[in-house]
Amino acid sequence: MAWLFDAFRLLHIAGGFLALFTFWIPLVTVKGGRTHNRSGWFYVYCMGFVALSALYMGVYRIFLDPSADESLIAFSWFLIFIAVLSSASAWYGLRVLRIKSRRAPHRGLRDLGFSLLLFLSGIAVCVYGFRIGFPLLQYFPLIGIVLGAQQLYYWRSVPKTRRHWILEHIGAMMGCCIATITAFTVFGAPRLLGVSSVSIILWFLPTIVMVPLIIAFSRHYRNKYNPPA
């Protein structure tokens, strides 16, 4: 099983790097254009594999690795939460486009279930983080709680703004990117820098940078499609 874990880890790293570099292409290209769509789907496929491999590695460390200590188990729970956050955000970002013409509250069990899973897993990991005194698990899952609650509110409410799906799509994909970059800073950056640990500020830096970007992009497109009277 160790060789399979190592293989998944290498593929996980490769998929993460591809997703990280591809993400910026659909962000800056014409929305709905050929380049935007192709690069966007490539990003989604990469993130799908990244999420599945992260889930496998996290479960392996927690339940199948007898040498895993408390610190490694804590990081493994973080890895599992990253898998939930990235996959739920990507799924939401796709689904808001598929059913953009809805005029009533959405009742799709898959969509509501994925958003509810993100919300509840955020609460569970946050509680676990406070129980073991691990700051990364104490505060980072708040992103999942907020995003999960926002997604549930969107699904169960009637859209009232023009092209609301674009705002939700951009926010979801940028939220997915937060998961990718944070995972890199937590697991990849220390190895590339050759250090055993980094400041917790570095762990939260992607969130500190990306959240204002999400707000700025959302405000830009909200004003573009729904200009104030």
Side-chain angles (χ1 to χ4, degrees):
M1 294 294 289
W3 67 268
L4 184 60
F5 179 88
D6 291 336
F8 265 96
R9 180 170 57 186
L10 291 175
L11 293 174
H12 175 82
I13 294 172
F17 269 107
L18 286 174
L20 187 59
F21 287 113
T22 305
F23 168 78
W24 306 101
I25 300 175
L27 186 64
V28 299
T29 53
V30 177
K31 304 300 178 283
R34 185 176 183 181
T35 301
H36 174 89
N37 292 339
R38 288 190 173 184
S39 58
W41 274 110
F42 183 77
Y43 172 76
V44 168
Y45 289 139
C46 287
M47 286 307 304
F49 181 79
V50 167
L52 288 174
S53 56
L55 180 63
Y56 168 79
M57 291 189 294
V59 170
Y60 175 85
R61 286 297 193 197
I62 295 171
F63 300 105
L64 300 176
D65 188 357
S67 64
D69 56 14
E70 184 177 354
S71 175
L72 191 57
I73 290 176
F75 275 108
S76 297
W77 279 116
F78 172 75
L79 196 61
I80 291 175
F81 178 71
I82 284 289
V84 174
L85 174 60
S86 58
S87 58
S89 298
W91 176 263
Y92 178 76
L94 293 175
R95 293 294 294 167
V96 295
L97 299 180
R98 289 293 181 89
I99 52 177
K100 61 184 181 182
S101 60
R102 69 183 180 91
R103 297 291 184 269
H106 184 49
R107 295 187 175 87
L109 293 180
R110 292 181 301 171
D111 302 325
L112 293 173
F114 231 145
S115 299
L116 184 62
L117 173 63
L118 176 58
F119 178 74
L120 295 179
S121 64
I123 294 176
V125 173
C126 187
V127 171
Y128 172 70
F130 276 99
R131 187 175 69 83
I132 65 174
F134 192 27
L136 181 64
L137 296 183
Q138 289 173 342
Y139 301 108
F140 184 78
L142 294 176
I143 299 175
I145 297 174
V146 172
L147 291 179
Q150 183 271 326
Q151 292 176 14
L152 290 170
Y153 175 79
Y154 174 78
W155 286 135
R156 296 303 298 153
S157 62
V158 179
K160 297 178 181 179
T161 57
R162 295 178 63 247
R163 301 197 178 185
H164 50 87
W165 59 88
I166 296 180
L167 306 179
E168 300 298 324
H169 175 74
I170 292 174
M173 291 308 176
M174 294 188 75
C176 187
C177 187
I178 289 178
T180 307
I181 300 177
T182 302
F184 171 74
T185 58
V186 171
F187 298 103
R191 291 170 174 80
L192 291 177
L193 296 174
V195 297
S196 58
S197 63
V198 295
S199 170
I200 193 172
I201 297 177
L202 182 61
W203 290 349
F204 289 98
L205 187 60
T207 302
I208 297 171
V209 173
M210 293 296 292
V211 168
L213 283 178
I214 294 176
I215 296 174
F217 270 92
S218 298
R219 181 174 298 175
H220 167 75
Y221 282 101
R222 185 177 294 110
N223 291 335
K224 179 179 179 179
Y225 297 123
N226 301 273

